[in-house]
Amino acid sequence: MSIAVTPAWLADRLNEDGVRIVDCRFLLQDASAGEKAYEEAHIPGAVYMHLDRDLSAPKREDGSGGRHPLPDAAVFAATLGRAGIGNGTHVVAYDDQGGAMAGRLVWLLRWLGHDGGASLLDGGFAAWQAAGYPVTAARPAVAAAVFEARVQAGLVVHADDVRARLGQAGVVLVDSREAPRYRGEVEPIDAKAGHIPGAINRFWKDSLASDGTLLPADAQQARFADLSQEDEIIVYCGSGVTACPNVFALEAAGFRNVKLYAGSWSDWISYEGNPVAVGDEAKARNE
């Protein structure tokens, strides 16, 4: 099954047992905006998960783990259970940010060994509304479930893993941020500008069509045509959130050895000795 489901697919299953809808709307510049939007109107039956409170652990004082550290597995399993999500529940996640926040939830479910299916709502909340489907302000009554965490450690890498792979043949680092941030020309969020040495840049929003839906597999393949399917691909962004859509895009393009650097740039720069590069590495290699 594709990573994404259409609004029509979801509308046919609104009251189906075994399907849980999760609203993940969130704005980095206003951490309360997503929940306020949920309270005003959301897809019927949807529960809300907050990027900072639910989909991340608290930030550490030394900055390690980045701006959105991975949640503790047991704590997140309990969060899922309270939301009515068991290991076999089909989860459909949505946001209004091109799938970035919803993608974080889908990736976290994979990381915890969820096997009930996890999908993005293609086009997000805007597509749902544009199709004329109902919304509500009512919070659903949710029966608690049991979620057993089975951590899939091979899906994630950490700073020491990345450090050990720098310059290694057969390993490709993919920076998912906008090009000016990758090149180190601007840095509106984190303490240092630049990128991890050797990384190439593939802006995560380039995985989307103009209407906010996911590009088809052939278009995703074109985005990564310069990479080998034999490579180990490590994807990062600013804090491990917007990298998730690129993980899914790479998988749609046929790559199978794709890992997330969960702490990403904000974690990398928290270690004083980690090197930083600026400029366009692909351009420099071709000159």
Side-chain angles (χ1 to χ4, degrees), residues 110-136:
R110 291 183 178 185
W111 174 62
L112 283 198
H114 172 257
D115 52 16
S119 307
L120 300 171
L121 178 62
D122 209 10
F125 191 59
W128 179 267
Q129 290 182 301
Y133 292 123
V135 298
T136 182

Side-chain angles (χ1 to χ4, degrees), residues 6-19:
T6 65
W9 184 97
L10 182 59
D12 286 342
R13 294 164 176 80
L14 273 185
N15 300 309
E16 190 172 295
D17 290 340
V19 175

Side-chain angles (χ1 to χ4, degrees), residues 56-276:
S56 308
K59 287 189 280 191
R60 303 166 192 162
E61 289 187 8
D62 64 358
S64 64
R67 285 182 280 107
H68 294 105
L70 286 181
D72 176 83
V75 170
F76 188 55
T79 298
L80 293 170
R82 288 193 297 273
I85 298 170
N87 292 79
T89 306
H90 189 126
V91 176
V92 178
Y94 71 89
D95 58 34
D96 54 3
Q97 294 285 312
M101 315 305 167
R104 167 76 164 204
L105 173 57
V106 170
W107 187 89
L108 286 173
L109 286 164
R110 291 183 178 185
W111 174 62
L112 283 198
H114 172 257
D115 52 16
S119 307
L120 300 171
L121 178 62
D122 209 10
F125 191 59
W128 179 267
Q129 290 182 301
Y133 292 123
V135 298
T136 182
R139 287 182 178 264
V142 176
V146 175
F147 192 99
E148 179 186 349
R150 300 187 291 264
V151 174
Q152 308 297 300
L155 296 181
V156 63
V157 297
H158 304 285
D160 54 348
D161 302 309
V162 175
R163 199 180 300 114
R165 287 165 167 80
L166 289 181
Q168 194 175 105
V171 178
V172 177
L173 285 166
V174 175
D175 187 313
S176 303
R177 299 171 299 163
E178 288 186 86
R181 288 185 71 194
Y182 162 80
R183 293 192 298 262
E185 297 165 359
V186 297
E187 184 43 70
I189 303 174
D190 294 310
K192 294 181 183 178
H195 60 265
I196 300 174
I200 63 171
N201 184 220
R202 295 291 188 277
F203 184 35
W204 73 273
K205 281 191 175 180
D206 290 340
S207 67
L208 303 174
S210 59
D211 63 356
T213 58
L214 292 173
L215 291 172
D218 59 348
Q220 305 292 8
Q221 289 166 0
R223 293 181 62 220
F224 303 106
D226 56 331
L227 306 185
S228 169
Q229 301 259 346
E230 303 303 314
D231 288 337
E232 177 187 43
I233 313 293
I234 296 174
V235 188
Y236 75 93
C237 56
S239 65
V241 177
T242 58
C244 293
N246 258 348
V247 170
F248 305 144
L250 281 156
E251 292 173 349
F255 292 85
R256 292 294 171 260
N257 190 7
V258 182
K259 297 173 182 175
L260 176 70
Y261 175 18
S264 285
W265 180 247
S266 53
D267 173 64
W268 182 257
I269 60 173
S270 73
Y271 301 97
E272 198 62 40
N274 281 347
V276 169

